[in-house]
Amino acid sequence: MKAHDGFYIDGAWHPAPDRDTIDVVNPADEQIIAQVPAGTAADVDTAVRAARAALPAWAATPPAARAERLAALRDVLAARKDEIAETVTAELGSPLAFSQAVHAAVPLAVAASYAELAATHSFEEKVGNSTVLHEPVGVVGAITPWNYPLHQIVAKAAPALAAGCTVVLKPAEDTPLTAQLFAEAVHEAQFPAGVFNLVTGLGPVAGQALAEHPGVDLVSFTGSTAVGRQIGATAAGAVKKVALELGGKSANVILPSADLAKAVNVGVANVMSNSGQTCSAWTRMLVHTSQYEEAVELAAKAAAKYGDRIGPVVNAKQQERVRSYIRKGIAEGARLVAGGPESPREQGWFVSPTVFADVRPEMTIAQEEIFGPVLSIIRYEDEDDALRIANGTVYGLAGAVWAGEESKAVAFARRMETGQVDINGGRFNPLAPFGGYKHSGIGRELGTHGLAEYLQTKSLQF
């Protein structure tokens, strides 16, 4: 697997032969497939300085011209979609079909949406005797996770570039090759030098240096709530803007009038998707007591079909984390109806698709984000009880409601403390705002709301 031995800064690749390196490992067979340099605070500083130097010209570039570069970027990514899918499969372990359908395809839609927004969005408006300007916030430090490596990069870089900001990206150390492909695409799309920069490295070193750097105006981070708190505290000390997309423990609420079989099967598929490594996954299935055992049986059968269809989790540490939660669920008295803590394969960091029944709302597996293919099924007595359970965690990122009458599902969804709710299996919308309530984050990504995160407001009075 090809990898650059340096960083993409100021429009060129700069080798770092004397730096420590990070091994990139295929989670399916545990083999090293590449090495990338581990960036230092000095490397981050060089990248930020390049971004600051490029900022005035890029911010002054007409939005229509920025839109042209973003459209070109989308086209380059589309032309390399097969290579992108193969790279994600190699470093994340995602099955190739899923990498093609999701990891490579979804970012194309997001990139296209921001090319259009850059061309059509009104960056100024009249309010009474004032003209209100929406200007780029400045240099963006983007810190992205490994679970959807290209999507998370595009969801930050595309709106930032559309807004007129410049970007320094520190990608997750587990999936840096996809980030390098993105930097190549930026170069091929002929963005001006310094507008986008890439430094690979470890979170506590390069990531922290980026978050702390006085030349960074906004830190956009996706990852754990614990790290998000640290970044928020660091940014607060510098009065720096942050956008945080953090953890989730989303509820899939199945009301008695719903198509139970469809709701359960779609719910299980949602949890198993990407090997459970999705922050918005519906990991708590709430079922009325009258339908509970039927739902448990349906879920167990559905999960069994995923035994050889999902990939591994990203690394050995994550595998042990998920398995420890499964053991915790058993120890706290939940009923294991599918899967379990034993690894299903001798090689690779695989976890068995796991379903727990008789899960009480206060159990660890019902409160904490596991980030693996583990579903907890919880019974409820009535709608008020279901709402109490659905809202009964520190998270509020996503969720789902199923009902025979759409109006009932919508009425329930309006009472949920969460940032996004799918009604009866509603489709993903790349223009809809995505982000969380409570400990699930600050700010929104995607669409006009995502663009707004990278803008600041100035008013001119006449």
Side-chain angles (χ1 to χ4, degrees), residues 8 83 126 176 247 252 453 461:
Y8 184 74
E83 182 184 2
K126 290 291 292 182
N252 179 18
E453 295 293 332
Q461 278 61 253

Side-chain angles (χ1 to χ4, degrees), residues 87-101:
T87 301
V88 173
T89 291
E91 62 182 355
L92 180 62
S94 170
L96 184 59
F98 189 81
S99 294
Q100 293 168 334

Side-chain angles (χ1 to χ4, degrees), residues 159-455:
L161 296 172
C165 299
T166 55
V167 178
V168 177
L169 169 68
K170 203 299 285 184
E173 50 264 37
D174 291 287
T175 54
L177 304 183
T178 302
Q180 290 189 344
L181 282 179
F182 181 80
E184 291 175 0
V186 167
H187 189 83
E188 190 174 343
Q190 298 182 357
F191 278 79
V195 168
F196 175 84
N197 308 272
L198 168 68
V199 177
T200 54
L202 301 175
V205 180
Q208 184 171 339
L210 186 58
E212 292 177 345
H213 200 290
V216 171
D217 300 293
L218 181 151
V219 180
S220 181
F221 169 79
T222 296
S224 72
T225 298
V227 176
R229 286 195 192 97
Q230 296 173 6
I231 289 174
T234 297
V239 197
K240 186 179 301 185
K241 188 175 180 181
V242 295
L244 305 174
E245 199 270 280
L246 308 176
K249 196 67 184 177
S250 302
N252 179 18
V253 182
I254 305 175
L255 299 178
S257 61
D259 181 335
L260 183 65
K262 181 179 180 180
V264 170
N265 284 319
V266 173
V268 171
N270 177 278
V271 173
M272 302 306 161
S273 177
N274 208 40
S275 303
Q277 299 169 131
T278 303
C279 54
S280 57
W282 310 333
T283 52
R284 295 181 297 145
M285 181 180 289
L286 278 56
V287 185
H288 189 266
T289 186
S290 65
Q291 298 174 311
Y292 188 78
E293 290 303 333
E294 182 182 359
V296 168
E297 183 177 351
L298 287 168
K301 289 180 179 179
K305 298 176 183 177
Y306 287 89
D308 57 357
R309 289 166 55 184
I310 65 173
V313 294
V314 70
N315 55 40
K317 180 180 179 180
Q318 185 65 17
Q319 181 194 44
E320 179 51 32
R321 170 188 167 87
V322 177
R323 292 171 66 188
S324 69
Y325 272 111
I326 296 173
R327 291 191 289 266
K328 185 75 168 178
I330 295 171
E332 291 185 356
R335 173 165 49 111
L336 187 68
V337 297
E342 297 79 15
S343 179
R345 304 191 192 184
E346 292 184 0
Q347 188 177 43
W349 297 309
F350 291 86
V351 177
S352 295
T354 298
V355 177
F356 281 106
D358 299 342
V359 177
R360 299 187 305 278
E362 69 274 12
M363 285 183 175
T364 302
I365 58 171
Q367 289 291 321
E368 298 184 12
E369 185 177 45
I370 298 173
F371 227 61
V374 181
L375 171 64
S376 296
I377 308 181
I378 305 171
R379 71 174 74 234
Y380 67 86
E381 299 297 328
D382 55 31
E383 285 195 20
D384 287 341
D385 189 36
L387 185 70
R388 176 186 61 80
I389 296 169
N391 291 339
T393 76
V394 298
Y395 297 109
L397 185 57
V401 184
W402 301 78
E405 296 179 23
E406 184 177 284
S407 60
K408 286 189 174 182
V410 171
F412 190 96
R414 287 179 179 276
R415 300 165 68 196
M416 294 175 70
E417 298 169 353
T418 192
Q420 190 172 85
V421 185
D422 292 350
I423 306 297
N424 288 337
R427 300 189 312 275
F428 171 74
N429 180 0
L431 300 178
F434 180 79
Y437 287 24
K438 301 187 285 187
H439 289 196
S440 287
I442 298 171
R444 293 294 182 268
E445 293 187 327
L446 306 180
T448 57
H449 294 80
L451 179 63
E453 295 293 332
Y454 299 94
L455 296 169

